[in-house]
Amino acid sequence: MRVSSQDVTVVALLADPDAPTEIAQRMARMLPDRLADRSGPGRRFDVEVVSEPFTAGAEDLSTLTHRIMDRGSEGNWDIVVALTDLPLHSHGRKLVVDLSHEHGLALLSLPALGGFRLQTRARQAVEEAVLSLAGPQATGGPSGSRPLRGPFIGRLAPVRPGQVGEEEIADLRYVVSGPRGYLRVLLGMVRANRPWRLVPGLSKALAAALATGAVATVNSTIWSLATSLSTPRLVIAMVGSVALMIGWLIVDANLWHRTDEISPEARKRAALYNASTVVTVGIGVIVCYVGLVVINLVWALFILNGRVFASTTRTPLHAMEYWTLSWFVASVATVGGALGSGLESDEAIRAAAYSKREQERRSALQDDHGD
């Protein structure tokens, strides 16, 4: 890193590819002006975005910090703030941000900021980190470990100072803990995986589900079943089909995370990854199910004949019958989609279910197990 000159502080946002880079690029446009407004008179900031997979093959906090420090020494920057969508842990707590005032670096774990208003929270966290690292010229206060503040430390989960070991590079650390902290990190991981991409990513499964739904809608046996089933049974059919689809995708594509380590830390990390997988896949499947209900309803309105339906089921074809049939057919079609997902490659399912960094992490783990 270089020494600031002419009251200009050069800040590098070192971001993992995919979502962290997109977040860094968006905030880089407004950060210089915001930092200048909050710093001393005449102070200016230049912000550069560097997209590199600095977390590749590593989840250890010490290793990542050394990588950031080494990368910072190669660049012409005053401050390096690294952004990753990797959930990081320190002394049994989930890391939000690590700072080293001596080396002018910070490491921000985006999942710890939660799943909502991520862009705003990330910008606020980076602002606080940069102003803290910039020292008394920018903050108007004493140098050293200036406590972070700002609205990104909200009520959703307690963000508080964390323990820092004597041998570590960092001198200031913030973590989240407890059930609300776990929920916050989990939501952040799910958001990083972008579950809404699962639906278009499973083309073969969707084709199987749509074909099953189209055939089932004109099947007289399905008509009779739909009109005879009570609401609780329809709910059971819905929950069962969604659960089957989620379980099939996870098992068939080998999405369940297993660890060979026996430490409590490793087991907690594996449980967190598996929880994020279930929620990510679950959201995607539920979105798919709702879409099937709508498509089946439109198809039923177009294709069904009221007199044929009534003669078969002895029930007039009214709005409630359309809705009940579409709901039940969506459950049947979801089971068909689960079977159709077996035609998808494991790589296609992982690409639909996970962020790019998470895909790389799981591929590296599989390579290690293969060796």
Side-chain angles (χ1 to χ4, degrees):
M1 298 184 190
R2 69 173 181 85
V3 178
S4 300
S5 60
Q6 301 178 350
D7 292 326
V8 178
T9 301
V10 181
V11 179
L13 299 180
L14 179 62
D16 265 335
D18 205 18
T21 295
E22 295 173 8
I23 291 173
Q25 289 173 339
R26 283 195 291 267
M27 74 170 67
R29 292 192 287 266
M30 63 181 69
L31 267 181
D33 292 337
R34 293 183 62 89
L35 291 171
D37 291 341
R38 295 183 57 186
S39 62
R43 191 72 171 176
R44 293 191 296 117
F45 292 83
D46 287 339
V47 178
E48 302 175 6
V49 177
V50 181
S51 180
E52 292 182 6
F54 68 93
T55 60
E59 297 184 53
D60 178 63
L61 186 57
S62 176
T63 301
L64 296 179
T65 306
H66 278 90
R67 286 184 182 180
I68 298 167
M69 185 173 64
D70 293 341
R71 184 65 181 89
S73 64
E74 300 171 2
N76 194 33
W77 310 308
D78 300 309
I79 294 171
V80 177
V81 180
L83 290 79
T84 179
D85 53 2
L86 181 72
L88 299 174
H89 299 76
S90 172
H91 302 281
R93 299 289 186 266
K94 297 165 184 65
L95 178 76
V96 179
V97 62
D98 248 5
L99 295 97
S100 172
H101 292 78
E102 178 183 356
H103 300 93
L105 63 86
L107 172 59
L108 177 64
S109 177
L110 294 175
L113 299 179
F116 305 102
R117 300 178 63 244
L118 179 60
Q119 183 69 45
T120 300
R121 287 179 172 178
R123 175 181 52 75
Q124 291 166 346
V126 170
E127 284 181 18
E128 294 296 332
V130 170
L131 292 175
S132 179
L133 295 172
Q137 281 186 301
T139 63
S143 60
S145 304
R146 186 179 76 93
L148 300 186
R149 57 184 177 83
F152 78 95
I153 303 179
R155 294 182 178 180
L156 182 58
V159 178
R160 57 184 180 82
Q163 177 183 351
V164 180
E166 294 181 359
E167 72 286 351
E168 296 186 76
I169 296 175
D171 52 39
L172 183 62
R173 172 172 296 153
Y174 280 81
V175 298
V176 292
S177 60
R180 288 186 298 167
Y182 180 91
L183 178 61
R184 184 173 188 169
V185 175
L186 178 61
L187 291 176
M189 293 175 67
V190 171
R191 190 189 190 283
N193 288 335
R194 300 176 180 181
W196 53 87
R197 300 187 306 184
L198 187 66
V199 177
L202 299 177
S203 57
K204 293 184 177 66
L206 280 175
L210 290 173
T212 303
V215 173
T217 301
V218 296
N219 186 286
S220 60
T221 303
I222 297 294
W223 298 351
S224 300
L225 283 173
T227 55
S228 62
L229 288 176
S230 62
T231 299
R233 289 191 174 186
L234 288 170
V235 171
I236 292 173
M238 176 184 66
V239 173
S241 62
V242 169
L244 177 63
M245 182 70 159
I246 294 171
W248 181 266
L249 287 173
I250 292 174
V251 173
D252 185 58
N254 195 26
L255 302 183
W256 197 255
H257 178 77
R258 296 177 177 85
T259 178
D260 295 330
E261 302 178 41
I262 59 174
S263 65
E265 187 80 10
R267 293 187 179 278
K268 288 181 181 179
R269 188 163 55 242
L272 185 62
Y273 278 121
N274 288 330
S276 71
T277 295
V278 172
V279 176
T280 298
V281 176
I283 292 174
V285 171
I286 290 172
V287 170
C288 182
Y289 187 94
V290 173
L292 287 173
V293 171
V294 174
I295 292 172
N296 291 331
L297 180 59
V298 173
W299 175 239
L301 289 170
F302 173 76
I303 202 67
L304 291 186
N305 182 280
R307 285 180 296 177
V308 174
F309 185 91
S311 65
T312 302
T313 63
R314 298 182 181 179
T315 303
L317 185 58
H318 297 312
M320 181 58 66
E321 282 66 40
Y322 277 112
W323 163 250
T324 303
L325 178 62
S326 302
W327 185 8
F328 180 60
V329 168
S331 300
V332 176
T334 300
V335 176
L339 299 177
S341 67
L343 301 175
E344 304 276 5
S345 67
D346 292 354
E347 291 75 14
I349 296 177
R350 293 193 191 98
Y354 293 127
S355 66
K356 183 176 180 179
R357 188 212 52 76
E358 180 65 5
Q359 294 175 53
E360 293 171 348
R361 187 189 72 82
R362 288 175 176 264
S363 297
L365 287 175
Q366 284 193 332
D367 293 341
D368 291 342
H369 288 312
D371 295 338

